Amino acid sequence: MIQAKGYAAQDKSSELAPWNFHRREVGPHDIQIAIRYCGVCHSDLHQIRDDWGGATFPMIPGHEIVGIVTNAGTHVKKVQAGQWVAVGNMVDSCRICDNCRQGLEQYCTTHISFTYNSTEQNGLPTYGGYSNIIVVHEDFVFTVSEKLDMSAVAPLLCAGITVYSPLRHWKVGEGHRLAVLGLGGLGHMAVKFGVAFGAEVTVLSTSPAKEADAKALGAHRFLVTRDAEQMKSAAGYFDFILDTVSADHAFDPYLALLRTNGTHIVLGLPSEPATFRLGNIVFGRKSMAGSLIGGIPETQEMLDYCAGHHIVADVELIDMKNIYVAFDRMVKGDVRYRFVIDMATL
Ligand code: NAP
Ligand code: ZN
Ligand code: ZN
């Protein structure tokens, strides 16, 4: 076993604190990675607080991982020691169900191994990236362009792919009016990709102070959702709304902003069940849809696209010990636009 250290929550009401644990030995197809940066996703906070139920502890969060290969199994061909690599939300899956065969591992119908708060295929618990070392099967490790700023690459592994995948699935691009609801980690990546794909992008935000940032990210328009007049002026306007809001919220005001055949794509995962008036989708043949991260092939495609188009996240680097300062600011909507932990400070 490999001795490792990280920041773990021991139960849903205790704070993250230093914790020593073990990683498995490097198998023939495994890659051992010295973690250098890990992004802070709002899902990390949802899960250590058990917002979604069923959480298992001790829990080490973190699924936006970038680091350097320190050891590779005898059969590993795709990377060498010393190379930068990345790991996202998944570390394994059943590999044989219909979805796994199509590269949609995130929708594995048998046993998906998420990077933390989950189990390996052998049933042992998984531990995430707020740690110094991880050992992952090569099929779930991504290569990254070393031309990019590695701390700013980390958030692509969740925030990036989570918005890239639905934009590709619904073929959002030229001629489409895209609304990005919530300008946080996911939202700011949605603006970058939406603009790169040729859509007209509007940010819908509760924070008027983010307007200049939204425009700097490339957004064409900015709308304050708490301003009734501004909301009224956008009625029936959008083809797509990408909903990245992390807190419980109403849906009806946003369904009113969709044009006929428009689609409201939910990415945010607040804890409470959602309600909305069915008439608000029936009238106008509108759709309410959802999307979960992205599969392994699409995640590599996204990373390659980012390398080709110089797209990375806007990040604020933090020390591990300041994680609760970051969480507090994230909950207040004051994230500009992804906190990333410098793992050298662990
Ligand atoms: P984040 O950085 O905290 O951004 C969320 C944004 O939502 C905030 O910055 C804020 O933007 C807006 N917001 C927050 N509270 C709000 C409220 N009460 N009403 C309206 N808007 C509010 O979070 P994130 O990391 O981007 O994650 C967003 C959500 O997506 C989380 O629930 C997370 O668990 C989920 N998620 C889902 C997937 C998936 O695969 N589907 C993947 C990753 C994360 P404004 O200031 O602009 O209003
Ligand atoms: Zn995430
Ligand atoms: Zn499967």
Side-chain angles (χ1 to χ4, degrees):
M1 299 287 257
I2 297 166
Q3 186 67 46
K5 58 180 182 174
Y7 257 47
Q10 297 298 328
D11 57 63
K12 70 177 182 182
S13 49
S14 70
E15 293 208 336
L16 293 172
W19 186 59
N20 293 324
F21 66 109
H22 291 96
R23 296 289 191 187
R24 68 166 182 266
E25 289 295 344
V26 176
H29 288 284
D30 284 340
I31 297 172
Q32 182 178 339
I33 301 162
I35 301 174
R36 290 299 167 83
Y37 300 107
C38 186
V40 178
C41 179
H42 209 115
S43 301
D44 297 343
L45 190 56
H46 286 309
Q47 293 189 81
I48 58 172
R49 288 177 172 172
D50 197 14
D51 281 352
W52 305 330
T56 53
F57 296 92
M59 189 194 301
I60 297 182
H63 54 211
E64 294 184 338
I65 299 169
V66 170
I68 293 175
V69 176
T70 53
N71 191 5
T74 46
H75 293 328
V76 173
K77 291 213 174 61
K78 73 193 249 191
V79 300
Q80 292 174 337
Q83 187 177 334
W84 284 92
V85 291
V87 176
N89 281 270
M90 300 178 282
V91 289
D92 214 339
S93 71
C94 92
R95 297 160 184 253
I96 52 173
C97 74
D98 282 352
N99 288 339
C100 282
R101 283 178 197 274
Q102 290 179 66
L104 295 169
E105 297 85 354
Q106 75 275 34
Y107 303 122
C108 174
T109 52
T110 308
H111 182 180
I112 174 72
S113 297
F114 289 111
T115 303
Y116 67 88
N117 190 20
S118 180
T119 53
E120 303 270 8
Q121 296 296 302
N122 63 10
L124 292 172
T126 56
Y127 299 112
Y130 294 11
S131 61
N132 63 337
I133 295 168
I134 194 165
V135 176
V136 181
H137 190 287
E138 61 174 329
D139 293 348
F140 286 73
V141 173
F142 305 102
T143 55
V144 291
S145 166
E146 302 195 3
K147 283 188 230 141
L148 300 176
D149 169 0
M150 288 299 147
S151 64
V153 165
L156 301 178
L157 277 299
C158 178
I161 185 60
T162 299
V163 298
Y164 182 94
S165 183
L167 291 174
R168 288 305 199 202
H169 177 77
W170 275 277
K171 300 184 169 57
V172 179
E174 240 159 88
H176 288 137
R177 295 166 176 170
L178 168 68
V180 174
L181 178 54
L183 193 62
L186 269 56
H188 95 291
M189 290 309 306
V191 173
K192 293 190 187 207
F193 285 129
V195 170
F197 297 167
E200 182 201 283
V201 179
T202 303
V203 169
L204 310 181
S205 175
T206 59
S207 311
K210 290 181 181 172
E211 177 162 4
D213 289 346
K215 299 274 170 70
L217 289 163
H220 305 94
R221 293 155 45 103
F222 184 88
L223 194 156
V224 179
T225 53
R226 288 181 176 147
D227 182 325
E229 280 307 310
Q230 288 191 36
M231 288 290 276
K232 220 165 130 191
S233 72
Y237 187 78
F238 299 106
D239 298 288
F240 297 97
I241 297 174
L242 217 49
D243 181 343
T244 76
V245 174
S246 51
D248 296 316
H249 61 289
F251 291 87
D252 294 301
Y254 305 113
L255 292 173
L257 306 188
L258 287 173
R259 64 204 294 186
T260 306
N261 296 323
T263 305
H264 185 110
I265 305 165
V266 177
L267 303 175
L269 288 163
S271 51
E272 292 302 311
T275 54
F276 57 91
R277 286 192 175 278
L278 292 171
N280 287 340
I281 57 172
V282 169
F283 288 83
R285 195 165 55 190
K286 298 174 185 179
S287 303
M288 178 66 90
S291 183
L292 179 70
I293 47 174
I296 295 297
E298 192 172 47
T299 303
Q300 187 64 63
E301 174 195 305
M302 179 272 313
L303 289 167
D304 296 345
Y305 181 89
C306 288
H309 293 78
H310 298 281
I311 293 175
V312 287
D314 290 15
V315 303
E316 199 173 323
L317 215 53
I318 60 160
D319 289 359
M320 187 71 248
K321 67 175 166 33
N322 292 332
I323 184 66
Y324 279 89
V325 178
F327 281 160
D328 288 348
R329 281 184 51 198
M330 192 170 70
V331 169
K332 288 188 197 129
D334 179 23
V335 42
R336 310 277 170 112
Y337 279 84
R338 195 59 141 190
F339 293 106
V340 172
I341 306 162
D342 178 355
M343 224 31 89
T345 66
L346 181 65

